[in-house]
Amino acid sequence: ISDYGKSEKVIGIAAVKGKGWNIGASEWGNKFNALFKGNIQEIRVARKALTEKEWLVQDARDDEPFEGSNKALPFLMNKKNYNFLFVPDTQKYSSQNPEIFNSQMNWISNNTKKNNIIMNTFVGDIIDSDLEKQWQNSLGAISLLDKKDVPYMMAAGNHDYADGDPFLTHYGPQRFLNKTYYKGSSPSGYSSYAIAKAGSYEYLVLIVDMKNLHKDLEWSKKVLDLHKDKPTILVSHDIIFPKLKDDKTLAVESSNGRLIWNELVKYHNQVFMTVNGHYFGIAHRVKQNAAGNDVIQMLVNYQTNYRGGNGWLRLVEFDEKKNVLVFRTYSPFVDEMSKKEKSYIDYKFLTGEYNSFKLDWDFKNRFNFK
């Protein structure tokens, strides 16, 4: 199964300059990087793509690489509930599969109101490399949100920084000035915050930039100090990463994540959730702050999966009546496919324990910041 979309011509496999083609390894910064885990039994070289009948292994497939469902599942269990949506790293869509990016943004623009989505937040790495085509691919998709006046905020990732600050040119403060939910940006222009009402509360979404983290710390603290009464979701590109131990995925904080926790989360009781991308994979944990209250930390990044992420988005449904948060992973791109187009790993909902889960959440007690 090709990882690439209609827009990308696959020419070969990864190469390191002066060392030929790599089979079973990838290239990163012109060095070998681990990719393949397993055994290669036989290698054949052909002058063209082979038909299925010519494949060495017939009906080749992984053993259930994902747990998923193509059933119609609700996004709201109660019409009074509401969602926050997070867009994982989109870099492979900007570089290889813009049709997936367009599908995501089209769905968000047409379904935000219907599914009571309060804020759509990008976790960073909007593009893969600083090429004008990739910026334009991202702009073509994200502009769909502006046309429908859909609320969204954007964090930058390490792939978004380049000479001349193209991220600020395309997605800096000027883009959000006329949006009522947007409340301001840091002096660097990369960090920002928004306020949006939902249910019984006014929520604050704080973007803390990865590259300008130290520079923007004091500004971020001031924002939090001015809004101690508002439940806050903090989004930055680099906070936690997944670590496998005894076949279980654990969430571990990075050095940036440790600084964010100590300076912006631990003693700011209103911060109840952090979300990031950057690291390959998914993970979440619940950690206690200095007041002994729960803080949910979540990593969502599918870029190393099929088609660079297959269009999966992360939604969190807030149910104040039942005191629960419901986490879902959904792909509008797969949802739009016909049955014939779907491969055995195309699911519109991912259902494994790290992609679909619930957390008990006592709203009144947790959001009482007095």
Side-chain angles (χ1 to χ4, degrees):
I1 298 173
S2 170
D3 250 356
Y4 295 87
K6 298 167 187 173
S7 60
E8 181 82 358
K9 186 178 180 182
V10 184
I11 295 170
I13 51 181
V16 169
K17 193 175 180 182
K19 294 188 179 179
W21 295 101
N22 308 319
I23 296 170
S26 63
E27 171 271 335
W28 182 264
N30 204 42
K31 291 181 180 178
F32 287 121
N33 191 46
L35 175 69
F36 181 82
K37 292 181 180 178
N39 298 306
I40 297 176
Q41 290 175 299
E42 187 170 336
I43 295 169
R44 293 187 295 170
V45 179
R47 67 170 68 185
K48 60 176 184 173
L50 301 175
T51 64
E52 266 189 74
K53 288 180 180 177
E54 296 172 298
W55 288 0
L56 194 65
V57 180
Q58 295 298 315
D59 195 32
R61 58 177 64 202
D62 297 327
D63 294 331
E64 295 192 25
F66 303 106
E67 292 178 58
S69 171
N70 280 311
K71 292 179 182 177
L73 300 174
F75 293 100
L76 289 172
M77 306 300 287
N78 181 308
K79 64 181 181 180
K80 288 187 178 180
N81 294 357
Y82 48 92
N83 278 293
F84 281 84
L85 185 148
F86 301 95
V87 183
D89 303 43
T90 58
Q91 61 201 79
K92 299 304 179 186
Y93 309 145
S94 294
S95 62
Q96 295 164 355
N97 301 305
E99 63 274 14
I100 297 181
F101 210 159
N102 289 332
S103 172
Q104 286 181 317
M105 297 303 108
N106 191 53
W107 184 86
I108 290 172
S109 65
N110 290 326
N111 289 276
T112 285
K113 196 170 182 181
K114 177 184 174 184
N115 294 306
N116 210 3
I117 299 170
I118 304 308
M119 185 61 68
N120 301 277
T121 307
F122 294 77
V123 303
D125 276 356
I126 308 304
I127 55 127
D128 206 22
S129 52
D130 182 32
L131 297 172
E132 188 56 29
K133 184 183 177 184
Q134 293 185 29
W135 287 113
Q136 291 306 317
N137 283 342
S138 75
L139 286 162
I142 292 170
S143 293
L144 294 170
L145 306 183
D146 297 297
K147 288 174 185 174
K148 291 284 184 77
D149 203 23
V150 168
Y152 69 97
M153 294 292 283
M154 300 185 70
N158 51 301
H159 285 259
D160 301 323
Y161 306 116
D163 292 341
D165 289 322
F167 181 88
L168 292 186
T169 300
H170 299 303
Y171 301 115
Q174 75 285 348
R175 191 177 184 94
F176 297 90
L177 287 175
N178 65 344
K179 301 182 187 298
T180 55
Y181 57 84
Y182 168 78
K183 300 302 176 186
S185 292
S186 64
S188 74
Y190 279 95
S191 298
S192 59
Y193 75 107
I195 293 174
K197 188 171 187 334
S200 309
Y201 306 96
E202 274 194 332
Y203 288 89
L204 189 147
V205 177
L206 175 63
I207 307 292
V208 180
D209 186 60
M210 172 188 181
K211 184 182 177 184
N212 296 281
L213 176 56
H214 290 83
K215 190 190 294 185
D216 288 353
L217 266 181
E218 289 310 310
W219 175 86
S220 301
K221 284 180 186 176
K222 284 179 184 176
V223 171
L224 291 171
D225 289 340
L226 286 169
H227 301 93
K228 291 182 178 179
D229 61 329
K230 292 177 175 58
T232 299
I233 298 171
L234 188 155
V235 178
S236 189
H237 190 57
D238 170 11
I239 303 177
I240 62 169
F241 61 90
K243 186 176 181 180
L244 201 64
K245 186 178 181 181
D246 299 328
D247 291 327
K248 287 296 249 182
T249 300
L250 304 177
V252 182
E253 65 189 5
S254 65
S255 55
N256 269 8
R258 194 171 304 114
L259 183 64
I260 285 171
W261 177 269
N262 289 333
E263 297 291 330
L264 300 175
V265 181
K266 188 176 181 179
Y267 298 105
H268 292 90
N269 191 26
Q270 75 266 37
V271 181
F272 71 94
M273 184 184 293
T274 73
V275 187
N276 68 283
H278 187 46
Y279 298 99
F280 299 160
I282 49 171
H284 66 271
R285 70 177 180 183
V286 178
K287 187 177 178 180
Q288 280 67 48
N289 63 16
N293 289 322
D294 287 349
V295 179
I296 301 158
Q297 296 198 282
M298 182 167 67
L299 157 69
V300 280
N301 182 9
Y302 298 94
Q303 65 169 286
T304 57
N305 292 116
Y306 184 37
R307 296 197 190 97
N310 218 20
W312 289 309
L313 303 164
R314 177 62 58 86
L315 292 100
V316 186
E317 180 185 0
F318 286 56
D319 190 332
E320 292 183 27
K321 189 176 181 182
K322 291 185 177 178
N323 279 322
V324 68
L325 300 176
V326 182
F327 296 76
R328 297 182 178 91
T329 305
Y330 166 73
S331 170
F333 178 71
V334 175
D335 207 354
E336 291 165 0
M337 287 181 180
S338 66
K339 193 173 182 180
K340 190 177 179 181
E341 287 177 297
K342 285 191 181 82
S343 75
Y344 71 99
I345 55 175
D346 284 314
Y347 294 116
K348 63 182 180 182
F349 288 100
L350 296 183
T351 57
E353 63 178 306
Y354 302 111
N355 283 303
S356 176
F357 55 96
K358 293 181 181 180
L359 293 175
D360 292 331
W361 198 254
D362 189 334
F363 283 82
K364 285 183 180 176
N365 281 335
R366 181 59 185 92
F367 294 164
N368 178 11
F369 306 126
K370 292 176 183 177

